[in-house]
């Protein structure tokens, strides 16, 4: 807890896991009797493991206690022992509850619950302190002043109830203690505190801080409406519409007013939580009320965007500011789409509903573009395109329809073969859609040069084409497209400095320019652009730490700086790679099914391995490549059609082979060790070659990688030659 500077909430959640382990022991009739920090191991994944059951006792059938005599005192730990243990009284499961109370006291305050003048204490002092002296409230001794404020009140009461001297006045069991901790975390009244109306009301307000006044108005209006409905239906309908109007204003007008402001994600999160409850309940009453159904679908779309959806309806397909809950976004978008499909069936000739249905397909497809699988992204975006193109046939000059179809063409192109996202490896098909998207985007900007949304869209199209050129190996064309995108985004930022999306997109373009310059061997230029991008990412992330998509961008920014540093600053490069890996590990833990996060994580390990190999750290290079392979293999297994993941895995195996080969060249190694590294290099190159050939056979090997099978085959030949030479030298010796 101390080493990781865990917050009070994080410590409480860890404590709940410890309680679960102790409860499991109790359910199996085992009392631990020596619970303390030294007997609790926390794994790297944050899971606690109870150790040292050396003095634990089994509770036999009908035996509710275990006798522990004074003579056994050397087998207890004074700081965590219960009064009945030190007195030699019967010991039960609530004795472990006391020890857990002492443990929680220390976790929260940083101090021991018991104060001894001598260590170890004499038997007399042990009996007096543990058996008679009530511990000081944790908040009064807490090392951290901010933590002390959190401890006052509920947590003080919870800890001191667990530390009652009389077993009967403590929590009846571990589950009861854990439940009170959970109630605190969820802002419910705790059992350890006297229940009063004022106390219950204050806890309710804490759970519903945002819009408590509005919630009260909604509640009272609904109650009044239900009551009045029994007397006069017209008044009930009027009340219902008032509530509906209020909720609509909160979800749409207020939300949209703050969406582009830095640091607004946390407020939007609260809006989402309240809105979901409202929507799910309201949807049960919608029936076939088309007006209400349309409003519900719009609201679910809004919620999905805040949860973790992609901005398919905006200027491009960069992930907008969101909470990183992509699975929640998919659920919300699916609810919206189900409603829109119903509306389309109820009124097939309604063009507005048809356009909204296309929008629903687009939102779902754009989110699958980032989460994978890519075939889902193509499926839903093609459904949207079919509808938009049919509407365009009737209204060919519609700006809104043209803009949407341009964004959709871009989305399909990316899912087909753009290496920036999970894709199907269809480079040819991707290029066809990209040219269609650019033709429409350039037409819109030419006809409406002052429209910022169309300019933003064109910038994203140049970005996508640049990414596609990176797959085909056209480096100069790639850099040219990124430069065009960066110029557009710089103009947008100058026009609207406070728009976070414009600033983020500029940082993305600067990062892409940096990556291309690395490929063109211009490391000083690459480092300059990478640092410009990182400054933007860091300022945006600091302003809005709740925005998960920004943390993903920040991780890529750190990776780009690390790559651009090359061998000029070894320590700084490794530090940037470390920061990138930590951020992506956090994102994958939060959203384990997100293909983009997992691929980016593997790519950082690939970049780290290449850097370590270039700086003659062959051992580190091998370790990093193996870690990246583990991640990429899991991604390929989960999304077999994701050509981008397969390509990343092939690169990692090739890098592993190169790292072993470099290790095998070390003259200080024995011939046996040299041969072993060359054999491992050959094996890794073989796996890389198999992946490249499989992609080539499926037609998913991009043009820029067309020579990879031959290059890897050449490396295998070098491995075989090295092994042959080593064997000859051994024979000659």
């Amino acid at each position: 807890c101390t080493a990781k500077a865990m917050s009070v909430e994080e410590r409480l959640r860890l404590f709940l896991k410890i309680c679960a382990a102790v409860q499991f022991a109790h359910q199996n009739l085992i009392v631990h009797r020596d619970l303390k920090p030294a007997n609790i191991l926390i794994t790297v994944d944050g899971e606690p493991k109870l150790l040292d059951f050396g003095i634990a006792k089994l509770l036999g059938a009908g035996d509710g206690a275990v006798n522990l005599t004074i003579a056994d005192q050397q087998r207890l730990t004074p700081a965590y022992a219960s009064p009945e243990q030190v007195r030699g009284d019967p010991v039960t499961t609530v004795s472990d509850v006391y020890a857990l109370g002492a443990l929680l006291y220390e976790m929260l305050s940083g101090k021991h619950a018991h104060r001894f003048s001598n260590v170890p204490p004499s038997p007399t002092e042990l009996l007096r302190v543990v058996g008679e002296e009530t511990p000081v409230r944790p908040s009064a001794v807490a090392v951290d002043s901010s933590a002390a404020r959190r401890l006052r009140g509920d947590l003080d009461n919870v800890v001191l109830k667990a530390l009652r001297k009389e077993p009967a006045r403590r929590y009846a069991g571990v589950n009861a203690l854990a439940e009170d901790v959970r109630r605190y975390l969820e802002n419910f009244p705790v059992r350890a505190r006297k229940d009063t109306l004022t106390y219950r009301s204050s806890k309710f307000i804490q759970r519903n801080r945002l819009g408590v006044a509005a919630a009260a108005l909604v509640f009272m209006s609904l109650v009044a409406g239900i009551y009045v409905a029994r007397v006069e239906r017209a008044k009930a309908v009027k009340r219902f519409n008032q509530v509906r109007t209020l909720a609509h204003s909160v979800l749409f007008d207020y939300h949209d007013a703050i969406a582009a402001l830095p640091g607004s994600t946390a407020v939007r999160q609260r809006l989402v939580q309240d809105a979901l409850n409202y929507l799910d309940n309201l949807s049960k009453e919608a029936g076939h009320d088309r007006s209400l159904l349309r409003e519900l679908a719009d609201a679910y779309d809004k919620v999905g965007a805040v949860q973790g959806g992609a901005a398919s309806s905006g200027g491009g397909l960069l992930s907008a500011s969101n909470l990183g809950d992509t699975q929640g976004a998919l659920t919300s978008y699916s609810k919206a789409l189900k409603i829109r499909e119903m509306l389309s069936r109820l009124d097939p000739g309604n063009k507005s509903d048809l356009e909204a249905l296309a929008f629903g397909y687009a939102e779902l497809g754009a989110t699958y573009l980032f989460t994978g699988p890519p075939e889902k992204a193509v499926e839903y975006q093609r459904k949207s395109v079919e509808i938009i193109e049919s509407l365009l046939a009737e209204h060919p000059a519609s700006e809104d329809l043209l803009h949407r179809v341009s964004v959709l063409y871009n989305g399909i192109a990316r899912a087909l073969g753009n290496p920036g996202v999970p894709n199907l490896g269809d480079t040819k098909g991707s290029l066809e859609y990209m040219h269609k998207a650019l033709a429409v985007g350039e037409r819109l900007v030419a006809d409406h040069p002052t429209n910022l949304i169309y300019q933003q869209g064109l910038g994203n199209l140049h970005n996508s084409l640049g990414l596609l050129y990176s797959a085909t190996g056209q480096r100069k064309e790639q850099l040219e497209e990124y430069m065009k995108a960066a110029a557009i985004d710089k103009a947008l930022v100058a026009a609207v400095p406070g728009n976070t999306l414009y600033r983020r997109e500029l940082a993305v373009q600067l990062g892409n320019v940096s990556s291309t310059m690395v490929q063109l061997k211009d490391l000083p230029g690459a480092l300059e652009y990478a640092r410009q991008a990182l400054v933007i990412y860091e300022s945006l992330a600091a302003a809005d730490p709740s925005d998960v998509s920004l943390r993903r961008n920040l991780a890529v920014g750190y990776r780009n700086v690390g790559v651009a540093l090359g061998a000029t600053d070894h320590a700084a490069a490794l530090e940037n790679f470390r920061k990138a890996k930590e951020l992506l590990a956090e994102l994958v833990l939060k959203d384990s099914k997100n293909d983009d996060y997992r691929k980016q994580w593997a790519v950082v390990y690939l970049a780290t391995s290449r850097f370590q190999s270039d700086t003659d750290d062959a051992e580190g290079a091998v370790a990093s490549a193996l870690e990246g392979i583990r991640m990429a293999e899991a991604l390929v297994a989960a999304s077999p059609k994701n050509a981008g993941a397969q390509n990343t895995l092939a690169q990692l195996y090739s890098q592993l082979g190169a790292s072993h080969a470099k290790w095998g060249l070390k003259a200080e190694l024995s011939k046996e060790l040299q041969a072993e590294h060359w054999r491992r290099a050959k094996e890794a190159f073989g796996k890389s070659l198999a992946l490249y050939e499989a992609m080539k056979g499926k037609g998913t090997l991009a043009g820029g990688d067309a020579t990879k099978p031959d290059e890897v085959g050449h490396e295998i030949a070098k491995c075989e030659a090295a092994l042959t030479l080593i064997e000859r030298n051994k024979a000659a010796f």
Side-chain angles (χ1 to χ4, degrees):
C1 291
T2 304
K4 292 185 176 295
M6 292 170 68
S7 66
V8 169
E9 182 177 5
E10 290 170 331
R11 293 171 192 239
L12 291 173
R13 296 197 183 283
L14 176 60
F15 180 73
L16 286 176
K17 293 181 180 181
I18 296 170
C19 286
V22 177
Q23 177 62 20
F24 180 80
H26 288 180
Q27 288 172 342
N28 287 273
L29 305 181
I30 298 173
V31 182
H32 190 286
R33 301 203 305 169
D34 196 21
L35 293 169
K36 57 184 177 181
N39 284 342
I40 301 171
L41 169 70
I42 310 299
T43 69
V44 292
D45 297 324
E47 293 299 321
K49 304 290 182 182
L50 292 189
L51 310 178
D52 193 2
F53 280 80
I55 66 170
K57 292 293 183 179
L58 293 176
L59 295 178
D63 182 9
V66 177
N67 289 323
L68 178 67
T69 64
I70 295 295
D72 288 328
Q73 283 183 6
Q74 69 275 17
R75 292 164 55 190
L76 56 79
T77 304
Y80 307 94
S82 66
E84 56 267 28
Q85 281 180 281
V86 301
R87 288 195 297 263
D89 292 341
V91 175
T92 67
T93 53
V94 293
S95 301
D96 279 349
V97 169
Y98 188 94
L100 285 170
L103 175 67
L104 183 58
Y105 189 110
E106 187 175 351
M107 289 174 70
L108 296 177
S109 70
K111 300 288 186 179
H112 288 299
H114 301 313
R115 307 291 193 275
F116 299 110
S117 57
N118 298 300
V119 180
S122 66
T124 301
E125 185 182 17
L126 181 64
L127 284 168
R128 176 178 55 79
V129 173
V130 176
E132 300 173 8
E133 293 184 0
T134 300
V136 179
R137 289 180 295 107
S139 62
V141 298
V143 175
D144 184 87
S145 59
S146 62
R149 290 192 294 271
R150 290 284 306 275
L151 300 184
R152 291 190 193 108
D154 285 354
L155 289 178
D156 276 342
N157 288 324
V158 169
V159 173
L160 293 180
K161 182 176 176 64
L163 290 172
R164 292 282 191 184
K165 302 303 179 183
E166 309 88 341
R169 297 186 65 193
R170 291 176 210 146
Y171 288 100
V174 177
N175 271 348
L177 169 58
E179 177 59 24
D180 242 8
V181 173
R182 287 191 199 94
R183 294 181 69 83
Y184 171 81
L185 287 170
E186 296 171 6
N187 282 319
F188 283 96
V190 298
R191 308 297 188 193
R193 184 166 176 174
K194 184 178 180 181
D195 194 11
T196 64
L197 178 60
T198 302
Y199 175 54
R200 289 200 308 271
S201 299
S202 68
K203 300 304 285 186
F204 176 81
I205 291 171
Q206 289 175 32
R207 295 196 303 273
N208 301 274
R209 287 178 180 174
L210 182 68
V212 167
L217 176 61
V218 169
F219 175 76
M220 294 304 295
S221 298
L222 287 175
V223 170
I226 293 170
Y227 171 78
V228 174
R230 296 175 179 176
V231 181
E232 192 176 353
R233 177 174 174 77
K235 290 184 179 180
V237 172
K238 181 180 178 180
R239 289 293 187 190
F240 176 80
N241 287 332
Q242 287 175 341
V243 174
R244 179 174 156 189
T245 301
L246 173 63
H248 184 278
S249 296
V250 170
L251 187 58
F252 287 87
D253 300 338
Y254 300 169
H255 173 273
D256 291 348
I258 66 171
L261 297 178
S264 64
T265 305
V267 178
R268 294 164 67 211
Q269 179 180 23
R270 189 68 214 184
L271 283 172
V272 166
Q273 291 171 344
D274 292 343
L276 274 176
N277 291 330
Y278 165 76
L279 292 173
D280 287 335
N281 288 322
L282 195 58
S283 64
K284 300 172 185 176
E285 308 296 330
H288 286 173
D289 182 338
R290 294 177 192 175
S291 174
L292 179 54
L293 286 170
R294 292 185 185 103
E295 192 170 321
L296 280 170
D298 289 344
Y300 276 124
D301 278 328
K302 184 74 68 176
V303 167
V306 181
Q307 286 174 306
S312 70
S313 60
L317 285 167
L318 291 177
S319 182
S321 298
N322 62 68
L323 305 171
D325 180 12
T326 53
Q327 297 308 305
L330 289 172
T331 298
S332 294
Y333 284 148
S334 296
K335 289 179 179 179
L337 185 58
K338 185 177 179 180
I339 294 172
R340 297 195 192 285
E341 289 173 335
M342 180 195 302
L343 285 166
S344 187
R345 289 192 299 269
L346 290 172
D347 189 2
N350 189 306
K351 296 296 177 61
S352 178
D353 285 344
L354 190 59
E355 187 175 342
L357 178 60
F359 177 85
Y361 285 132
E363 291 297 296
L364 202 54
T367 302
Y368 275 121
L369 186 65
F370 288 95
T371 66
E375 60 268 25
K376 286 282 189 182
V378 173
E379 174 191 349
Y380 283 106
Q381 290 183 107
R382 275 182 171 157
K383 286 183 178 181
S384 183
V385 163
E386 289 176 7
I387 297 173
I388 297 297
E389 286 181 337
S390 70
L391 293 171
L392 269 172
E394 299 178 17
H395 307 283
S398 169
E399 290 180 38
D400 182 58
L401 292 176
L402 285 169
H403 176 57
R404 288 198 182 190
V405 82
S406 175
V407 172
L408 284 164
Y409 287 154
N410 186 14
I412 295 173
R414 290 169 68 119
L416 285 175
N418 197 301
V421 294
N423 68 86
L424 297 174
D426 182 3
T427 308
K428 181 180 178 182
S430 182
L431 275 170
E432 290 175 359
Y433 272 100
M434 273 308 311
H435 289 310
K436 291 171 69 174
L438 268 171
V440 179
E442 289 172 345
R443 170 185 164 185
L444 284 170
V445 170
D447 292 344
H448 310 280
T450 60
N451 189 306
L452 299 185
I453 293 177
Y454 299 160
Q455 290 181 36
Q456 180 196 9
L458 184 58
N460 274 279
L461 293 176
H462 284 302
N463 167 70
S464 293
L465 186 55
L467 280 168
L468 198 50
Y469 281 142
S470 75
T472 60
Q474 297 169 268
R475 303 299 177 213
K476 291 183 179 178
E477 292 83 354
Q478 174 185 343
L479 182 60
E480 182 181 346
E481 294 300 321
Y482 288 153
M483 286 294 196
K484 289 179 181 178
I488 290 173
D489 285 330
K490 282 180 181 178
L492 290 172
V493 170
V496 192
N499 189 298
T500 57
L501 183 57
Y502 291 166
R503 293 172 64 198
R504 287 178 59 200
E505 289 188 341
L506 173 58
V508 169
Q509 312 307 351
L510 295 172
N512 287 334
V513 169
S514 171
S515 298
T516 309
M517 286 183 166
V518 169
Q519 294 165 336
L520 293 170
K521 309 301 182 185
D522 181 5
L523 290 184
L527 183 58
E528 175 61 27
Y529 278 98
R531 282 175 169 162
Q532 288 180 27
L534 186 58
V535 167
I536 297 174
Y537 286 143
E538 287 180 330
S539 65
L540 290 174
D544 197 352
S546 301
D547 185 352
V548 176
S549 64
L550 265 175
R551 299 182 73 76
R552 183 266 190 202
N553 292 146
L554 182 58
V556 173
Y558 283 129
R559 184 199 72 199
N560 288 342
V561 170
V563 171
L565 281 167
T568 58
D569 191 334
H570 185 275
L574 287 177
E575 176 63 13
N576 278 279
F577 288 138
R578 182 192 65 77
K579 290 178 179 179
K581 285 184 280 191
E582 285 185 356
L583 282 170
L584 288 164
E586 170 193 317
L587 293 177
V588 172
L589 181 64
K590 182 179 180 66
D591 189 0
S592 61
K593 294 183 180 180
N594 190 305
D595 285 4
D596 177 60
Y597 292 165
R598 294 196 286 174
K599 179 192 171 185
Q600 294 300 333
W601 200 14
V603 168
V604 173
Y605 276 97
L606 173 62
T608 306
S609 179
R610 286 172 174 166
F611 172 81
Q612 290 168 320
S613 184
D614 290 342
T615 53
D616 206 28
D617 180 9
E619 185 175 0
V622 166
S624 294
L626 285 171
E627 188 64 19
I629 286 170
R630 180 184 66 80
M631 299 168 186
E633 283 182 335
L635 178 55
V636 170
S639 186
K641 293 185 180 180
N642 187 339
Q646 293 170 5
N647 194 294
T648 299
L649 181 57
Q651 291 183 65
L652 280 159
Y653 271 124
S654 184
Q655 174 57 27
L656 178 62
S659 301
H660 273 300
K662 195 157 189 176
W663 205 344
L665 289 171
K666 291 184 178 293
E668 65 269 20
L669 296 181
S670 66
K671 296 299 180 185
E672 288 76 12
L673 282 177
Q674 287 180 341
E676 177 62 21
H677 283 297
W678 282 108
R679 278 191 292 271
R680 291 185 181 182
K682 180 182 175 182
E683 178 185 358
F685 281 127
K687 291 181 178 179
S688 178
L689 180 60
L691 285 164
Y692 281 128
E693 288 181 336
M695 286 187 281
K696 184 177 181 180
K698 295 175 185 175
T700 60
L701 191 64
D705 292 329
T707 61
K708 288 295 184 183
D710 292 337
E711 293 173 10
V712 176
H714 180 66
E715 294 299 326
I716 292 174
K718 286 170 61 177
C719 294
E720 291 172 344
L723 287 167
T724 300
L725 181 61
I726 290 172
E727 289 301 320
R728 286 178 181 172
N729 289 338
K730 287 170 63 177
F733 180 76

